[in-house]
Amino acid sequence: MSKQPIKIGNFQYQPSDATSKYDAAVIAPLEKHVQEQLTNDGTYDKEANLFLLKLYQFHPQKASLDVIKKVLILALTNGSQTNDFTLSLYLIHEKNQSEEGVSQLIKLYDLLEACQFDKFWELRATASEVLKSLPSFDNNILFAGVLAITYQEADKAVIMKALNFNDTKSFDEFVNSHNEFFRGTQDNTVRFALNSYNQILPKKVPQNIKFERKTNYLLRNNLHFYRGFRYWKELKI
Amino acid sequence: MSDEGEWQTQTSKKNQWHNQSNDDSSNNHKSNKAQKSKTEDETTAIPDQVKQYLTSFQKLLSSQSGSDEYRGDELLSYYDSQFNKISEKYFTTTTWPSEKAVAPLVDNDELFLTLYNQLATRHLVTKHTSKVTYKLRAQSYGTYESFFDSVSYGEVNFDLPSQWLWDIMDEFIYYFQSFSQYRQKRLSAQQQPSDAASLEELEQLKQDKVWSLRGVLDILENLINKSKIRSTLQNKEPLSTSGSKHVLQTLGYFSLIGLLRVNSLVGDYYGALQAVDCIEDMYKVEGSVHHRVLACHATLFYYVGYAYLVMRRYNDAVRCLASILNYLNRNKQIYNKSYQYDNMIRLSEQCYALLAIALTLYPQRVDPNVRNTLREMYGEKMRRMQRSLLSNNGTNDAFAIIEELLRFACPKFISPHLPSNGDFVKLQIKTFVHEAKQQKHCANMKSYLKLYSTISLDKLADQLETDSDTFRQNLTCLKHKSRQVVRAEDQSDHHGVVDSANAVGGPLSGDLANASDAEFYVEGDVVRVADFKPYKHYGEWFIYNIHKFENIIENLEK
């Protein structure tokens, strides 16, 4: 191996000597990269994080439970749609999965995926002792996104409970500052912004036939066919 | 021949293993006369037909280097069908003669002997499993390492058919798999062996020198880097079809698929798909490299399909698996007589099992031929799973079956922890089932939603025997879980016609979309559901009938 920079996701590392990217030397800088993702919003890098978990598999004695928890929190808050949390679990040794903090995170993840948001907040509150040492995380925005693909309109109380708001004023503020999810509140209802999920759009039926394939028939057959195809193409049935 | 000579010296300089295994007869012949005469005996004991086969095989191979006329098909027949024929005739109970015995027959042609060694080892491993020893495994690692090394440093001047190159790569990974299992078995055994030889072997296993995960990954990465296959594919440059560059590029390409496999085996599914993300023409039938070799094509689709399933991309998983099953069905004649036959049959069975899981969790339209076979194979299991998922009080029967199917259909995982503690396979399966359980209400909810266009939330909750709060959560869960990453359908579906301008990106690409056939939303306390009419595929229908009429007309004209 020559002295080449190692690149994984947005992570770059220039090793001081010839190292392959599977060496234990890459672990420490990757761990720093995880910390950076926690402090700067919007820098989530699942590729680097999953790779770090893989390196932990190769060098089990170097695995840090603390960092594993951080990676899981990042997956919990950023990667719900792409199944990142489960993908991480495939790489975490069973022994580490049964550690108290990790198992609490797995429970939180289950509640999130089952959309039992109120229970999620309950557990989040009671499990704070175990999760105390970890950076705070906030799933309001994620949950709001999930609710917005289900509802057009909903009872304010229901949504407030799901998003863990106690007073109307701060909830209204939240609604007004996130118009990608909400259209606004009115008396006792919350109205969600329209998207392709929470309304019924006319269906487009894909016809997977290549133009070449059509021309094939076109060449083989006579003018009648050609006319037929022209109608067909224009009508887009 | 001078090229081969060069190849020989460089390889032997580089690798100790290779040296020992190949040149024993020439290096030690003075000190070890007894052994030499034994080798001579072995040489003379080879039946004439086999001798003839070996010499003409070697002549054909050596005439390939540097010549313009490439006789790939002929070479392939020597390599595959003739080898099988002779194996059946002469070597059903014994192994092929050793390299040393063969060497005098073929002028000590190093390249031929390396390849011969690989062939003989394969025969030994598949037909005489009990004779596989630690020493043999360690030796074969050396052979592969030096072979790949010389290819990646451009020290070879020969060409081999793609099929053959694939087999080399395939076996490399296969031996790694079986060695890892062997190592794990040995290291986790409670009893300490008593004799010195096994103790020494155990010590070597602990040191993890040969067939280590790190070593295999480094070899693959090295081949990928040296062949520059990633950038070649990304720039859509044509791959060379002959000469030593063909060998390097093709092996680089197969290393991508090797990396896909090894990453899957250690549970890194994202890394697995990423390894092959530069293969944008996965579904393309004509001209793609993986498609030249059936086993490679099938392997690619199986592992990608499995990774999709694990990533909760059910639409893509179904499309990928159905595509390869359809292909295998239609091309049975290609692998019918090949030694790969058993492997292909097993692989397609595994694909059907994965498909059964995907279709149970996310029912959708699938090719009619594939569906029929699936029904024959797993119809009963699928019905049982469905019944269990559709009951209001959701029993765990469905998940027991999913686990059973998965156990059969999953890749042969390798625990990266050494020595392994805790069952890695169990972890992989447990995690999948855990994820599947999160959506246990979805199927039942969908079946009820299908009955209505507008219904009050409380009423439907009543029918499902839950309270309205839980029902709301389950509705949200259904929406949430149905939003999946779906790779855009490029037009190059498995019918084979391709438009490169429409390429949509590698296997990892895709956008979030509603992947289920249930479309609904909640407005206050009312659920509104879209029509569940299945898609009508007019286009397919037209083409089907055009074919039919054309046939009728043809018949009439006769």
Side-chain angles (χ1 to χ4, degrees), chain A residues 1 4 20-23 46-47 50 54 57-60 80-83 86-87 89-94 97 106 109-110 112-118 145-147 149-154 158 161 197-201 203-210 212-213 217 220-221 225 229 232 237, chain B residues 213-214 217-218 221 263 266-270 274 310-312 416-417 421 424 427-428 430-432 434-435 438 469 472-473 476-477 479-481 483 485 489 491 493 495 497-499 502 512-514 519-524 528-531 533 535-540 542-543 546-547 550:
Chain A
M1 285 287 149
Q4 279 171 347
S20 109
K21 64 177 179 177
Y22 300 106
D23 273 331
K46 82 177 199 183
E47 191 181 330
L50 288 172
K54 187 157 82 167
Q57 282 193 316
F58 293 0
H59 312 278
S80 172
Q81 279 315 315
T82 40
N83 232 15
T86 309
L87 287 178
L89 289 185
Y90 283 109
L91 295 166
I92 298 173
H93 197 291
E94 201 140 29
Q97 286 201 22
I106 296 174
Y109 167 67
D110 281 340
L112 184 162
E113 288 295 307
C115 298
Q116 303 184 347
F117 298 144
D118 47 346
V146 176
L147 292 168
I149 61 170
T150 314
Y151 293 96
Q152 260 189 18
E153 245 178 59
V158 173
K161 199 172 156 207
Y197 298 92
N198 68 1
Q199 57 184 322
I200 290 162
L201 300 164
K203 265 183 201 169
K204 273 186 221 141
V205 183
Q207 300 289 349
N208 278 321
I209 292 154
K210 280 293 303 160
E212 279 91 334
R213 238 182 129 195
Y217 292 101
R220 251 193 284 153
N221 296 287
F225 249 108
F229 272 111
W232 182 14
I237 34 176
Chain B
L213 180 57
R214 276 283 312 276
L217 282 170
D218 280 339
E221 298 264 0
N263 276 336
V266 297
D268 180 14
Y269 304 104
Y270 184 80
Q274 207 178 30
V310 165
M311 294 174 113
R312 196 155 54 80
H417 312 279
N421 37 1
F424 190 67
L427 172 73
Q428 299 300 309
K430 198 189 87 187
T431 312
F432 185 89
H434 185 97
E435 217 259 306
Q438 289 172 350
D469 272 358
R472 264 175 203 279
Q473 284 164 357
T476 320
C477 174
K479 266 288 186 195
H480 171 63
K481 287 288 191 187
R483 183 158 62 156
V485 181
E489 292 238 357
Q491 307 290 321
D493 57 2
H495 297 298
V497 202
V498 187
D499 186 356
N502 277 340
L512 284 174
N514 178 18
E519 272 186 62
F520 66 90
Y521 64 88
V522 186
E523 199 177 1
R528 295 189 195 282
V529 191
D531 233 359
K533 257 192 215 147
Y535 287 158
K536 284 242 166 65
H537 288 255
Y538 297 104
E540 291 291 325
F542 270 120
I543 290 205
I546 289 170
H547 270 303
E550 268 183 354

Side-chain angles (χ1 to χ4, degrees), chain A residues 16 20 35 45 77-78 84 93-94 108 119 131 144 149-151 167 169 174 191-192 206 212 217 223:
Chain A
S16 52
S20 109
Q35 191 56 47
D45 187 356
T77 41
N78 296 288
D84 295 359
H93 197 291
E94 201 140 29
L108 282 173
K119 291 212 183 94
L131 304 172
I149 61 170
T150 314
Y151 293 96
D167 68 306
K169 205 173 151 240
F174 180 77
R191 292 165 73 219
F192 286 86
E212 279 91 334
Y217 292 101
L223 195 69

Side-chain angles (χ1 to χ4, degrees), chain B residues 230-242:
Chain B
R230 283 219 166 96
S231 59
T232 313
L233 286 173
Q234 262 147 19
N235 302 335
K236 303 211 165 35
E237 290 164 26
L239 298 174
S240 59
T241 51
S242 64

Side-chain angles (χ1 to χ4, degrees), chain B residues 64-119:
Chain B
Q64 292 296 318
S65 48
S67 89
D68 296 333
E69 192 192 356
Y70 180 58
R71 286 139 78 192
D73 287 342
E74 208 176 320
L75 206 57
L76 210 57
S77 110
Y78 268 96
Y79 160 74
D80 191 357
S81 56
Q82 292 206 40
F83 184 83
N84 283 348
K85 249 184 241 161
I86 293 184
S87 295
E88 271 166 36
K89 197 165 168 192
Y90 295 100
F91 302 107
T92 44
T93 53
T94 55
T95 56
W96 278 75
S98 69
E99 264 178 271
K100 285 171 240 161
V102 171
L105 294 174
V106 294
D107 309 335
N108 289 312
D109 179 345
E110 185 87 12
L111 167 68
F112 180 79
L113 286 175
T114 309
L115 296 172
Y116 170 77
N117 191 17
Q118 288 172 359
L119 270 174

